[in-house]
Amino acid sequence: MALANSDLPRSDSPTLILAQATDAERTATWKLNGQMWRGPLSLPAYLRREQHLAAQDLTRDTGITYWILVDSATPRPVDPEIPRTILASCETLRKRALVATKGTEVEEIISHGIGSVYCNPDFRGKGYASRMMEELGKVMATFQQQGQEKATFTVLYSDIGKKFYAKNGWQPFPSSHISLPPLPARQPGCENLPRTHPLHSKDIASLCKLDEELLRKKITLFTPLGAETRVALIPDAPTMHWHHAREKFAAIEILGRHPDVKGAIIRSHHGEQAWCIWTRTFGHKEEGNILHILRLVAEGEDIDNELLRVSEADTRVSVVAAVLQAAQREADKWGMRDVQIWNPSVLVTMAARRLIPSATVIDRDADSITSLMWYGPATGMGDDVAWVGNEKYGWC
């Protein structure tokens, strides 16, 4: 039975609990948040998409968990097909991650990404979303951890600025991007760039395996004044395929076709590869159509690209510029507004400016704010942590 507004509990009520949603309650949350988040999809298509995304390698077998805030004092419906009154809802995706502390070995851990945080418009302004996040922070400290182990960190991506989640424990991290315009086939691009080759789904797994090997080395490159602990989400194949499943479903529903090219790759004369894996998002209008670089890798790239010799830098800038220009070409083919690269390194910024001299790094302060809850002090680590590989692939 749904509660009337007059019967709603206070947000600090001890009877409020965070519970895992039943199938019926999960569908009820989708119907609620789909009114805001379905974009150009119909609501039935949105519901099918959520079912589809829940069946991917990343999410199946408890890889995704659906949470709701409910009042335990309200009698639970006898019929399991009738959902409880859902005051707020969210979901968590289990993610492989790495943590490195000075003087210790790199450790692979279980982390979680938090998404789809939503409060029924009828219940907003009462503090339920904050209460849910407070309870979630406690639960995630041990959720799906092995034995008696504690979690190290969780992440989320805020579309409501920095303050709300920060007060609930998820501190904002650098959230910037560079935007490049689409490049039509008839329009000349930057000259003297090496040739790229397209990436397809079959190429993703082997590149992700190599990327993980490189990341395990990079995460140990501590700087004298940097944090003594560094963490990273692993950019593995299930993560990339989840993004591509989302892209493919939307493309078929909206356009009746789907893209086959998932990125671009190039090998320099040094024998080092550079590649990027991308995905497309489709909005109600053209401004919502964005080709996102999920992950960009340049073999041999050092921690900040500041120590490259000039000749090496010039070669590597050209190589990275070439894969970015391939993304611009692909963006034009699919009617994308722009290409976005999150938290670009020095090398990527130089490459973007090789293509568009006026390209600037845009600091976001309202949407897609990368945020991290750090449990380090509770596990014997320090207060400071650096997030390595803070790119779009981690979004959920």
Side-chain angles (χ1 to χ4, degrees), residues 245-320:
R246 194 174 191 271
E247 169 193 64
K248 181 177 179 179
F249 185 95
I252 291 175
E253 285 289 328
I254 298 165
L255 304 174
R257 60 192 178 100
H258 65 87
D260 293 321
V261 177
K262 307 301 182 183
I265 189 170
I266 193 168
R267 180 182 293 276
S268 75
H269 67 269
H270 293 292
E272 295 166 342
Q273 298 179 110
W275 69 87
C276 65
I277 299 173
W278 58 57
T279 191
R280 305 156 187 81
T281 58
F282 300 90
H284 265 306
K285 299 179 181 178
E286 183 180 349
E287 55 262 32
N289 295 347
I290 300 171
L291 189 146
H292 285 285
I293 303 296
L294 293 173
R295 177 72 169 154
L296 194 154
V297 179
E299 284 189 85
E301 182 182 11
D302 62 71
I303 189 169
D304 277 321
N305 309 111
E306 300 289 3
L307 305 179
L308 296 174
R309 294 195 301 271
V310 174
S311 60
E312 290 178 329
D314 186 70
T315 299
R316 290 173 182 169
V317 169
S318 295
V319 167
V320 174

Side-chain angles (χ1 to χ4, degrees), residues 144-156:
Q144 294 184 330
Q145 302 299 320
Q146 298 178 354
Q148 300 300 312
E149 292 184 9
K150 301 284 187 179
T152 304
F153 71 98
T154 60
V155 301
L156 58 78

Side-chain angles (χ1 to χ4, degrees), residues 143-219:
F143 185 63
Q144 294 184 330
Q145 302 299 320
Q146 298 178 354
Q148 300 300 312
E149 292 184 9
K150 301 284 187 179
T152 304
F153 71 98
T154 60
V155 301
L156 58 78
Y157 299 81
S158 171
D159 285 330
I160 55 173
K162 301 178 180 180
K163 294 182 179 179
F164 174 79
Y165 291 108
K167 73 178 183 180
N168 287 292
W170 283 269
Q171 298 303 316
F173 270 65
S175 301
S176 64
H177 69 271
I178 285 179
S179 174
L180 298 175
L183 185 62
R186 64 182 181 279
Q187 181 176 328
C190 185
E191 297 181 350
N192 302 319
L193 294 181
R195 183 182 176 186
T196 64
H197 300 278
L199 292 176
H200 299 91
S201 291
K202 63 181 177 59
D203 305 312
I204 300 299
S206 60
L207 287 175
C208 286
K209 183 178 180 180
L210 175 57
D211 188 6
E212 182 177 339
E213 294 173 2
L214 297 172
L215 183 59
R216 286 176 179 269
K217 296 176 181 177
K218 183 173 183 177
I219 200 173

Side-chain angles (χ1 to χ4, degrees), residues 111-163:
S111 182
H112 288 87
I114 298 155
S116 299
V117 177
Y118 190 80
C119 184
N120 187 326
D122 293 339
F123 303 151
R124 289 179 185 172
K126 300 180 183 297
Y128 293 140
S130 287
R131 175 64 184 273
M132 178 180 69
M133 299 309 294
E134 176 187 345
E135 298 299 327
L136 185 68
K138 298 173 187 176
V139 170
M140 300 312 292
T142 56
F143 185 63
Q144 294 184 330
Q145 302 299 320
Q146 298 178 354
Q148 300 300 312
E149 292 184 9
K150 301 284 187 179
T152 304
F153 71 98
T154 60
V155 301
L156 58 78
Y157 299 81
S158 171
D159 285 330
I160 55 173
K162 301 178 180 180
K163 294 182 179 179

